[in-house]
Amino acid sequence: MTDPDGFWREAAALIDWYTEPETIMDASALPFSQWFVGGELNTCHNALDRHVDAGRGDQVALIHDSPVTDSQQRFTYSELRDLVARFAGVLRSVGVGKGDRVIIYMPMVPEAAIAMLACARLGAVHSVVFGGFAARELAVRIDDATPSAIVSASCGIEGKRVVEYKPLLDKAIELAEHDPGRSIVLQRPQYEAPMTERDLDWAEAMASAEATECVPVAATDPLYVLYTSGTTGKPKGVQRDNGGHAVALRWSLPAIYDVGPGEVMFTASDVGWVVGHSYIVYAPLLTGATTVLYEGKPIGTPDAGAFWRVIQDHRVKALFTAPTAFRGIKKEDPDAVLLRDYDISSLQTLFLAGERLDPETWTWASETLGVPVVDHWWQTETGWPIAANLRGLEPMELKAGSPSVPVPGYQVDVLDVDGTELPRGEEGAIVIKLPMPPGCLQTLWQDDERFRESYMSRYEGYYLTGDGGYVDADGYVFVMGRTDDVINVAGHRLSTGSMEEVLAGHPDVAECAVIGVHDAMKGQVPRGFVVLKAGVTRGEDEIGPELVALVRSEVGAVASFKNVAVVPALPKTRSGKVLRKTMRQIADGQDAMVPSTIDDASVLDTLRPVLQKGPQGS
Ligand code: COA
Ligand code: AMP
């Protein structure tokens, strides 16, 4: 914190530059800051070509492990570089150039990583959309990112279910106002998608493609836009640069995860989330490590021993996943009997993030695996950990319920409503003092104003994380939960606002609210409450299932929206704000804080038993 320029200059030496940066950090226009100004690089060169040039060409770069298709595929650095260079040629042939956006809507196949790296190679900006989102969500992202091309696949495989992606893509293109140009579609044997004139077959295009060289870009040019859920239904396009991102991720892998060149990292997430961007694709490859891209689940593909098998087969050193995955494994195999069938001696650390790590899961995982279980806290916006236990730099004592201490570069403070710094141990809004370290968001895509308003305007000079919590006497951070309407379902960040928009669109619904309530497996699940329009005679039995189906088709299966209640009215303040927090506290069995500004307390009294009853069917 005292010498950011010196610290990050040294870290930047781990990256290959065409032109060395002139300025390490430019914080002259806060809240906007720029890293490595004047520097020129190519992220794909740093992730692939330079390792081949340095003699690492025959090392495995990426392992696709896919229990759902019963296959494993290994790509060396040379092979991956060649495939990426050819796919960059395909993208160029359909008109994609530097600065153009490309949407990638794909399941967990190696081609998803190849497409991301090919964009980086061309200096194009990728925007990966998670496969669990429905057509409407994809359409919203197409209209915001205005891509020149889309890369997709015929299908994904979710457990035993084949999810047809191509019809969703076609529907999204139909819904979107922007014409996204050509789509390149990977046909998978599980479902052959009908092709239209706009579609190019991946395999055919690759057969005739020309390999393309890396295009130098400015350190401050965008590498990608990744949409994440905000408070409203409109997703936020988090924009990340090339230079700061490469330096921060390359630095983080050995320092935080203790993974270096030639070692194996298995991040069980999805390339559609930031965890997948950073620790399936970019950080391991920028480091010259081997990454496992896993197409399966922690349970059911085929059983709760799936992760142990992957660790054994590929000699994994570090596993990174969300706590929900371990809650799933614990539920299926509480005594970890399946672990006895595997040799997981290569595993040195388990990293968990994406949601609060409950002490019970932490204890179970620690005792079961016999390795340090490291909670760490970060967000799509930061792109890499804000607080962690730095296993490769200076491992510290682990404390249940805490992701440990701020990572170098982040000054974490806790403020009260007035912006006064709170003493250690007192809970408030967790903020990061500006400027943030490299790798964090530059802005929101095409929306500097929303960037300011969402993150930078609440407390002058600070970035608002949206999480509440405290720092204890030893400097350990405790993250207690979101202070806004973002919820976290099985480690997936979702907006209750987008679900409310869908419910409000039903012809019988007058008013609605969606809250996130505690769930033993998924951490949180959404619950909906609707007030019907006057004169509607149909009841919850009929309308409820319609609303559940509507959210699934409009937002996506990933929302896990399965519970909705018809209620006579919603509790509100006198100014009309629905008391979602109070509702959530009652549903979770906590002491509910009822604001003095409540309009009609009897509405809450009527709702109380419905909230306390818990979700239907649970
Ligand atoms: N494409 C299409 N559909 C998808 C999808 C994808 N990429 N990912 C998830 N879905 C669907 C699932 O099939 C499921 O549908 P269903 O309602 O028909 O069963 C729904 O979205 C919810 O999926 P998920 O949140 O993965 O939960 P699950 O019930 O399938 O799995 C566990 C339960 C225990 C395995 C789950 O808690 C888990 O570990 N999930 C993965 C966690 C994760 O990786 N989070 C991100 C980490 S950063
Ligand atoms: P995402 O942007 O999808 O990575 O989600 C970020 C949000 O997930 C954070 O703002 C937190 O609310 C939550 N989160 C992530 N990691 C942790 C953690 N280790 N402990 C508590 N909450 C976490």
PDB file of all heavy atoms in Angstrom, residues 284-308:
ATOM      1  N   PRO A 284      -4.110 -19.673 -14.780  1.00  0.00           N
ATOM      2  CA  PRO A 284      -3.241 -20.850 -14.978  1.00  0.00           C
ATOM      3  C   PRO A 284      -2.427 -20.761 -16.263  1.00  0.00           C
ATOM      4  O   PRO A 284      -1.240 -21.114 -16.281  1.00  0.00           O
ATOM      5  CB  PRO A 284      -4.215 -22.029 -15.025  1.00  0.00           C
ATOM      6  CG  PRO A 284      -5.451 -21.542 -14.344  1.00  0.00           C
ATOM      7  CD  PRO A 284      -5.519 -20.072 -14.591  1.00  0.00           C
ATOM      8  N   LEU A 285      -3.036 -20.266 -17.348  1.00  0.00           N
ATOM      9  CA  LEU A 285      -2.310 -20.220 -18.618  1.00  0.00           C
ATOM     10  C   LEU A 285      -1.274 -19.094 -18.611  1.00  0.00           C
ATOM     11  O   LEU A 285      -0.170 -19.259 -19.136  1.00  0.00           O
ATOM     12  CB  LEU A 285      -3.283 -20.091 -19.799  1.00  0.00           C
ATOM     13  CG  LEU A 285      -4.255 -21.276 -19.951  1.00  0.00           C
ATOM     14  CD1 LEU A 285      -5.209 -21.045 -21.125  1.00  0.00           C
ATOM     15  CD2 LEU A 285      -3.527 -22.611 -20.146  1.00  0.00           C
ATOM     16  N   LEU A 286      -1.600 -17.963 -18.029  1.00  0.00           N
ATOM     17  CA  LEU A 286      -0.595 -16.889 -17.948  1.00  0.00           C
ATOM     18  C   LEU A 286       0.626 -17.355 -17.152  1.00  0.00           C
ATOM     19  O   LEU A 286       1.738 -16.877 -17.362  1.00  0.00           O
ATOM     20  CB  LEU A 286      -1.202 -15.646 -17.279  1.00  0.00           C
ATOM     21  CG  LEU A 286      -2.179 -14.832 -18.129  1.00  0.00           C
ATOM     22  CD1 LEU A 286      -2.990 -13.867 -17.262  1.00  0.00           C
ATOM     23  CD2 LEU A 286      -1.445 -14.064 -19.230  1.00  0.00           C
ATOM     24  N   THR A 287       0.400 -18.321 -16.265  1.00  0.00           N
ATOM     25  CA  THR A 287       1.476 -18.793 -15.393  1.00  0.00           C
ATOM     26  C   THR A 287       2.256 -19.957 -15.999  1.00  0.00           C
ATOM     27  O   THR A 287       3.336 -20.305 -15.519  1.00  0.00           O
ATOM     28  CB  THR A 287       0.854 -19.218 -14.028  1.00  0.00           C
ATOM     29  OG1 THR A 287       0.107 -18.109 -13.530  1.00  0.00           O
ATOM     30  CG2 THR A 287       1.884 -19.629 -13.013  1.00  0.00           C
ATOM     31  N   GLY A 288       1.703 -20.598 -17.042  1.00  0.00           N
ATOM     32  CA  GLY A 288       2.364 -21.799 -17.574  1.00  0.00           C
ATOM     33  C   GLY A 288       2.022 -23.034 -16.754  1.00  0.00           C
ATOM     34  O   GLY A 288       2.774 -24.008 -16.715  1.00  0.00           O
ATOM     35  N   ALA A 289       0.885 -22.991 -16.067  1.00  0.00           N
ATOM     36  CA  ALA A 289       0.421 -24.145 -15.295  1.00  0.00           C
ATOM     37  C   ALA A 289      -0.488 -25.003 -16.188  1.00  0.00           C
ATOM     38  O   ALA A 289      -0.661 -24.717 -17.373  1.00  0.00           O
ATOM     39  CB  ALA A 289      -0.320 -23.654 -14.061  1.00  0.00           C
ATOM     40  N   THR A 290      -1.071 -26.048 -15.609  1.00  0.00           N
ATOM     41  CA  THR A 290      -2.034 -26.890 -16.330  1.00  0.00           C
ATOM     42  C   THR A 290      -3.393 -26.681 -15.689  1.00  0.00           C
ATOM     43  O   THR A 290      -3.514 -26.733 -14.467  1.00  0.00           O
ATOM     44  CB  THR A 290      -1.628 -28.377 -16.199  1.00  0.00           C
ATOM     45  OG1 THR A 290      -0.333 -28.542 -16.781  1.00  0.00           O
ATOM     46  CG2 THR A 290      -2.627 -29.286 -16.889  1.00  0.00           C
ATOM     47  N   THR A 291      -4.404 -26.444 -16.517  1.00  0.00           N
ATOM     48  CA  THR A 291      -5.737 -26.198 -15.968  1.00  0.00           C
ATOM     49  C   THR A 291      -6.687 -27.328 -16.341  1.00  0.00           C
ATOM     50  O   THR A 291      -6.611 -27.868 -17.452  1.00  0.00           O
ATOM     51  CB  THR A 291      -6.293 -24.837 -16.438  1.00  0.00           C
ATOM     52  OG1 THR A 291      -7.538 -24.614 -15.782  1.00  0.00           O
ATOM     53  CG2 THR A 291      -6.525 -24.759 -17.932  1.00  0.00           C
ATOM     54  N   VAL A 292      -7.586 -27.662 -15.414  1.00  0.00           N
ATOM     55  CA  VAL A 292      -8.601 -28.690 -15.699  1.00  0.00           C
ATOM     56  C   VAL A 292      -9.926 -27.979 -15.952  1.00  0.00           C
ATOM     57  O   VAL A 292     -10.390 -27.199 -15.109  1.00  0.00           O
ATOM     58  CB  VAL A 292      -8.757 -29.666 -14.513  1.00  0.00           C
ATOM     59  CG1 VAL A 292      -9.833 -30.709 -14.829  1.00  0.00           C
ATOM     60  CG2 VAL A 292      -7.430 -30.333 -14.180  1.00  0.00           C
ATOM     61  N   LEU A 293     -10.501 -28.240 -17.125  1.00  0.00           N
ATOM     62  CA  LEU A 293     -11.816 -27.689 -17.468  1.00  0.00           C
ATOM     63  C   LEU A 293     -12.796 -28.853 -17.339  1.00  0.00           C
ATOM     64  O   LEU A 293     -12.755 -29.789 -18.126  1.00  0.00           O
ATOM     65  CB  LEU A 293     -11.758 -27.151 -18.899  1.00  0.00           C
ATOM     66  CG  LEU A 293     -12.922 -26.342 -19.400  1.00  0.00           C
ATOM     67  CD1 LEU A 293     -12.406 -25.026 -19.976  1.00  0.00           C
ATOM     68  CD2 LEU A 293     -13.693 -27.038 -20.493  1.00  0.00           C
ATOM     69  N   TYR A 294     -13.617 -28.798 -16.326  1.00  0.00           N
ATOM     70  CA  TYR A 294     -14.419 -29.959 -15.920  1.00  0.00           C
ATOM     71  C   TYR A 294     -15.872 -29.784 -16.352  1.00  0.00           C
ATOM     72  O   TYR A 294     -16.537 -28.817 -15.945  1.00  0.00           O
ATOM     73  CB  TYR A 294     -14.319 -30.089 -14.401  1.00  0.00           C
ATOM     74  CG  TYR A 294     -15.181 -31.150 -13.782  1.00  0.00           C
ATOM     75  CD1 TYR A 294     -14.908 -32.498 -13.984  1.00  0.00           C
ATOM     76  CD2 TYR A 294     -16.269 -30.808 -12.961  1.00  0.00           C
ATOM     77  CE1 TYR A 294     -15.696 -33.482 -13.385  1.00  0.00           C
ATOM     78  CE2 TYR A 294     -17.047 -31.777 -12.359  1.00  0.00           C
ATOM     79  CZ  TYR A 294     -16.761 -33.106 -12.574  1.00  0.00           C
ATOM     80  OH  TYR A 294     -17.536 -34.071 -11.982  1.00  0.00           O
ATOM     81  N   GLU A 295     -16.363 -30.706 -17.145  1.00  0.00           N
ATOM     82  CA  GLU A 295     -17.753 -30.663 -17.589  1.00  0.00           C
ATOM     83  C   GLU A 295     -18.531 -31.705 -16.804  1.00  0.00           C
ATOM     84  O   GLU A 295     -18.659 -32.861 -17.226  1.00  0.00           O
ATOM     85  CB  GLU A 295     -17.832 -30.954 -19.106  1.00  0.00           C
ATOM     86  CG  GLU A 295     -19.204 -30.687 -19.675  1.00  0.00           C
ATOM     87  CD  GLU A 295     -19.289 -30.977 -21.172  1.00  0.00           C
ATOM     88  OE1 GLU A 295     -18.439 -31.714 -21.711  1.00  0.00           O
ATOM     89  OE2 GLU A 295     -20.246 -30.478 -21.800  1.00  0.00           O
ATOM     90  N   GLY A 296     -19.000 -31.309 -15.659  1.00  0.00           N
ATOM     91  CA  GLY A 296     -19.710 -32.242 -14.787  1.00  0.00           C
ATOM     92  C   GLY A 296     -20.114 -31.519 -13.523  1.00  0.00           C
ATOM     93  O   GLY A 296     -19.960 -30.303 -13.410  1.00  0.00           O
ATOM     94  N   LYS A 297     -20.638 -32.261 -12.589  1.00  0.00           N
ATOM     95  CA  LYS A 297     -21.102 -31.683 -11.319  1.00  0.00           C
ATOM     96  C   LYS A 297     -20.319 -32.328 -10.183  1.00  0.00           C
ATOM     97  O   LYS A 297     -19.699 -33.366 -10.366  1.00  0.00           O
ATOM     98  CB  LYS A 297     -22.600 -32.012 -11.147  1.00  0.00           C
ATOM     99  CG  LYS A 297     -23.502 -31.386 -12.184  1.00  0.00           C
ATOM    100  CD  LYS A 297     -24.122 -30.117 -11.688  1.00  0.00           C
ATOM    101  CE  LYS A 297     -24.894 -29.432 -12.790  1.00  0.00           C
ATOM    102  NZ  LYS A 297     -25.439 -28.157 -12.386  1.00  0.00           N
ATOM    103  N   PRO A 298     -20.407 -31.759  -9.002  1.00  0.00           N
ATOM    104  CA  PRO A 298     -19.734 -32.416  -7.869  1.00  0.00           C
ATOM    105  C   PRO A 298     -20.421 -33.718  -7.453  1.00  0.00           C
ATOM    106  O   PRO A 298     -19.804 -34.591  -6.858  1.00  0.00           O
ATOM    107  CB  PRO A 298     -19.823 -31.366  -6.753  1.00  0.00           C
ATOM    108  CG  PRO A 298     -20.805 -30.344  -7.197  1.00  0.00           C
ATOM    109  CD  PRO A 298     -20.976 -30.447  -8.671  1.00  0.00           C
ATOM    110  N   ILE A 299     -21.708 -33.809  -7.754  1.00  0.00           N
ATOM    111  CA  ILE A 299     -22.455 -35.034  -7.425  1.00  0.00           C
ATOM    112  C   ILE A 299     -23.249 -35.460  -8.657  1.00  0.00           C
ATOM    113  O   ILE A 299     -23.579 -34.634  -9.509  1.00  0.00           O
ATOM    114  CB  ILE A 299     -23.431 -34.805  -6.242  1.00  0.00           C
ATOM    115  CG1 ILE A 299     -24.330 -33.597  -6.511  1.00  0.00           C
ATOM    116  CG2 ILE A 299     -22.669 -34.622  -4.952  1.00  0.00           C
ATOM    117  CD1 ILE A 299     -25.368 -33.344  -5.445  1.00  0.00           C
ATOM    118  N   GLY A 300     -23.514 -36.752  -8.755  1.00  0.00           N
ATOM    119  CA  GLY A 300     -24.399 -37.222  -9.826  1.00  0.00           C
ATOM    120  C   GLY A 300     -23.701 -37.460 -11.151  1.00  0.00           C
ATOM    121  O   GLY A 300     -24.325 -37.929 -12.106  1.00  0.00           O
ATOM    122  N   THR A 301     -22.426 -37.140 -11.276  1.00  0.00           N
ATOM    123  CA  THR A 301     -21.719 -37.385 -12.537  1.00  0.00           C
ATOM    124  C   THR A 301     -20.453 -38.207 -12.271  1.00  0.00           C
ATOM    125  O   THR A 301     -19.382 -37.707 -12.501  1.00  0.00           O
ATOM    126  CB  THR A 301     -21.398 -36.059 -13.253  1.00  0.00           C
ATOM    127  OG1 THR A 301     -20.565 -35.245 -12.422  1.00  0.00           O
ATOM    128  CG2 THR A 301     -22.611 -35.288 -13.657  1.00  0.00           C
ATOM    129  N   PRO A 302     -20.448 -39.426 -11.840  1.00  0.00           N
ATOM    130  CA  PRO A 302     -21.662 -40.200 -11.539  1.00  0.00           C
ATOM    131  C   PRO A 302     -22.048 -40.143 -10.061  1.00  0.00           C
ATOM    132  O   PRO A 302     -23.176 -40.471  -9.702  1.00  0.00           O
ATOM    133  CB  PRO A 302     -21.216 -41.626 -11.899  1.00  0.00           C
ATOM    134  CG  PRO A 302     -19.753 -41.661 -11.524  1.00  0.00           C
ATOM    135  CD  PRO A 302     -19.231 -40.273 -11.821  1.00  0.00           C
ATOM    136  N   ASP A 303     -21.130 -39.682  -9.181  1.00  0.00           N
ATOM    137  CA  ASP A 303     -21.461 -39.726  -7.752  1.00  0.00           C
ATOM    138  C   ASP A 303     -20.637 -38.669  -7.005  1.00  0.00           C
ATOM    139  O   ASP A 303     -19.948 -37.853  -7.627  1.00  0.00           O
ATOM    140  CB  ASP A 303     -21.191 -41.142  -7.181  1.00  0.00           C
ATOM    141  CG  ASP A 303     -19.752 -41.599  -7.421  1.00  0.00           C
ATOM    142  OD1 ASP A 303     -18.842 -40.734  -7.457  1.00  0.00           O
ATOM    143  OD2 ASP A 303     -19.519 -42.809  -7.588  1.00  0.00           O
ATOM    144  N   ALA A 304     -20.710 -38.722  -5.695  1.00  0.00           N
ATOM    145  CA  ALA A 304     -20.037 -37.706  -4.871  1.00  0.00           C
ATOM    146  C   ALA A 304     -18.523 -37.913  -4.779  1.00  0.00           C
ATOM    147  O   ALA A 304     -17.839 -37.194  -4.048  1.00  0.00           O
ATOM    148  CB  ALA A 304     -20.660 -37.678  -3.479  1.00  0.00           C
ATOM    149  N   GLY A 305     -18.004 -38.871  -5.539  1.00  0.00           N
ATOM    150  CA  GLY A 305     -16.546 -39.066  -5.576  1.00  0.00           C
ATOM    151  C   GLY A 305     -15.934 -38.415  -6.810  1.00  0.00           C
ATOM    152  O   GLY A 305     -14.729 -38.550  -7.074  1.00  0.00           O
ATOM    153  N   ALA A 306     -16.750 -37.683  -7.589  1.00  0.00           N
ATOM    154  CA  ALA A 306     -16.294 -37.138  -8.883  1.00  0.00           C
ATOM    155  C   ALA A 306     -15.044 -36.259  -8.734  1.00  0.00           C
ATOM    156  O   ALA A 306     -14.080 -36.407  -9.495  1.00  0.00           O
ATOM    157  CB  ALA A 306     -17.419 -36.344  -9.535  1.00  0.00           C
ATOM    158  N   PHE A 307     -15.051 -35.353  -7.757  1.00  0.00           N
ATOM    159  CA  PHE A 307     -13.904 -34.449  -7.597  1.00  0.00           C
ATOM    160  C   PHE A 307     -12.646 -35.228  -7.197  1.00  0.00           C
ATOM    161  O   PHE A 307     -11.550 -34.918  -7.651  1.00  0.00           O
ATOM    162  CB  PHE A 307     -14.179 -33.384  -6.526  1.00  0.00           C
ATOM    163  CG  PHE A 307     -15.035 -32.226  -6.998  1.00  0.00           C
ATOM    164  CD1 PHE A 307     -15.577 -32.185  -8.280  1.00  0.00           C
ATOM    165  CD2 PHE A 307     -15.295 -31.152  -6.142  1.00  0.00           C
ATOM    166  CE1 PHE A 307     -16.362 -31.112  -8.696  1.00  0.00           C
ATOM    167  CE2 PHE A 307     -16.071 -30.078  -6.551  1.00  0.00           C
ATOM    168  CZ  PHE A 307     -16.608 -30.061  -7.827  1.00  0.00           C
ATOM    169  N   TRP A 308     -12.831 -36.260  -6.356  1.00  0.00           N
ATOM    170  CA  TRP A 308     -11.655 -37.037  -5.901  1.00  0.00           C
ATOM    171  C   TRP A 308     -11.030 -37.747  -7.111  1.00  0.00           C
ATOM    172  O   TRP A 308      -9.820 -37.832  -7.227  1.00  0.00           O
ATOM    173  CB  TRP A 308     -12.022 -38.058  -4.819  1.00  0.00           C
ATOM    174  CG  TRP A 308     -13.046 -37.637  -3.792  1.00  0.00           C
ATOM    175  CD1 TRP A 308     -13.997 -38.441  -3.219  1.00  0.00           C
ATOM    176  CD2 TRP A 308     -13.237 -36.346  -3.187  1.00  0.00           C
ATOM    177  NE1 TRP A 308     -14.752 -37.741  -2.314  1.00  0.00           N
ATOM    178  CE2 TRP A 308     -14.319 -36.448  -2.281  1.00  0.00           C
ATOM    179  CE3 TRP A 308     -12.613 -35.111  -3.328  1.00  0.00           C
ATOM    180  CZ2 TRP A 308     -14.784 -35.372  -1.520  1.00  0.00           C
ATOM    181  CZ3 TRP A 308     -13.077 -34.035  -2.588  1.00  0.00           C
ATOM    182  CH2 TRP A 308     -14.141 -34.166  -1.696  1.00  0.00           C
TER     183      TRP A 308
END
